[in-house]
Amino acid sequence: MRSTHPFYSCFPAVVCAGRETEVAITPSDLSRAFREDRVYHVAVTGLDEDSLTFDVPIPLDHPCFVKNGCLHFVHRFETEQLYAIRFCEEGKGEVKLFLYAVEEDLYNRRPLKGDLHSHSYYSDGADCATVAPANFREAGFDFFALTDHNRYYPSQIAAKTYDGIPLGINIIPGEEIHTPGTILHIVHVGGKESVCNKYIHQPEVFEAEVSEIEKTLEHIPEQYRHRMALATWSCREAHKAGGLAIFSHPAWMPQRINVTREFCDLLLQAKMFDAMELMAGLSDKENNIQVALWVEQLLAGNGLPVVGSSDSHYLNSRDRDFGKRFSIVFAKDNSTEAILQAIREGYSVAGEVSPHEETNVRFYGSRLRLVKFAHFLQENYFTQTWRLCMAEGILMRRYAEGEAVGEVLAALAPTVENFYKRFYGITPIQDFSQKDLDYIEDCRNTHRTVGPQTCGSQLYILPHGRNKRTD
């Protein structure tokens, strides 16, 4: 449900279930400030609560009070679910807003939007690594990884461009692993060093290590044994580096399928990966097949946490998948370590907007609560943070191109985090100041006692003292 309203907002909009919480309905500007000489009514309704009919009337009888131009109420949101907040001034029409209550484990995690698979011109992409972070930030992303084929250093270049400049976006190091002898793709993100460098610069060491692994895989059909050893080596090296090993686009079909059904079963049964790229820069059909594959493996006990990634090769709107396939990760903070750990623990969902659609967003994951909450956040939180990210992304691009805007970027860096804290009620409710309220009241009094009566473009001048305006 979309809570964003042109005239009113609800803060906090995410609360901790089981706690008594004070909520403020805040007008968009002073002209709509709530007034202490008026009577208001509020109702709070849990939308996942049981009912025998849709038509049960819900009275607007929840206690509320006006404070500093905002309408406040206190409520204990007992269970994790979406709540409707209805309110009205006596004798006038209702307004409906929405609020989400989550259990403490989820409340203590920050929602982050990110992409863990993208390419620059250092491999087969088109755009430069230095402006990639700016493009992702402008599109509303909190983190991203540049994962060029067999190249770790482009992700370091992307981060180094902004050395010493505080940013709201986390630039995660990464690479896409393509070991010789297989067409299997494995995305490595977050590691402190490259996996690819070993098989590129130390081929003898790489081959010896793979050979030792292969000796332990006699139970694997000979057809797949060497490729299984290569995959095992890749994941082990990613873990040694401190990163994630992500099973990338298994249903991709350039000419034939990237990973056969039989080999896919063997890989997932081995439980070597940290996550599966459930939504990728593929066709709707290929992504749909990947979802079915993941569900089947989940039922077989081989389930994996999921991520969504664009695999963009044009890191802007020229790529139909840029910004359209992504992950929502619920992490303790926007650090690489916290994001990786949240994915390992299953606090992530994969999101997609079909290239043929612009508004309908779908989320996938093994936890219903995360999928439902992600929809609320997409409609009410990320639509807001995207607007805040745009300015930072534009300035990041100008900085990468040599313009001296570092101080402005540093000032903008905490903007999204500050909004998150307000959205979650971590910072105190912000009411209007008494000075502002006094000013708008003076304006109203002037209209009532001095100003003429008006209706649209019509102006009615009455003798002094007979003005009929009662605003």
Side-chain angles (χ1 to χ4, degrees), residues 379-398:
E379 294 172 350
N380 303 289
Y381 176 77
F382 289 113
T383 52
Q384 306 286 337
T385 59
W386 167 64
R387 299 175 189 277
L388 301 176
C389 291
M390 286 181 69
E392 188 180 0
I394 292 168
L395 284 173
M396 285 174 65
R397 189 179 304 107
R398 288 166 59 183

Side-chain angles (χ1 to χ4, degrees), residues 220-228 260 262-263 266:
I220 301 297
E222 187 175 354
Q223 176 185 357
Y224 298 111
R225 193 172 301 158
H226 183 63
R227 280 177 281 172
M228 193 75 171
T260 66
E262 185 178 13
F263 188 28
L266 293 170

